[in-house]
Amino acid sequence: MKQFLSVNEVAELLSVNPMTIYKWCKSGKLPHYTIGGSVIRFDSEQLAKHIEGGNKK
């Protein structure tokens, strides 16, 4: 089963402010899912691949 992370969890993992995560999502820098129009979640596997690929920032 897939594990999904919240904005706060991803911010903690990447050592950045949660607002930075929202900005990165808005600009397309982080792969994410929007649920119900306002809730953002991240597929942990997809996020790990993205970061490993050198796309953290």
Side-chain angles (χ1 to χ4, degrees), residues 5-22:
L5 304 172
S6 69
V7 169
N8 287 335
E9 291 170 324
V10 173
E12 188 174 318
L13 276 172
L14 299 178
S15 300
V16 298
N17 188 291
M19 289 306 297
T20 302
I21 300 299
Y22 285 112

Side-chain angles (χ1 to χ4, degrees), residues 32-51:
H32 66 281
Y33 297 94
T34 304
I35 303 167
S38 61
V39 177
I40 296 175
R41 291 291 181 260
F42 303 87
D43 179 331
S44 60
E45 291 178 18
Q46 189 178 25
L47 185 64
K49 288 178 186 176
H50 185 76
I51 293 168

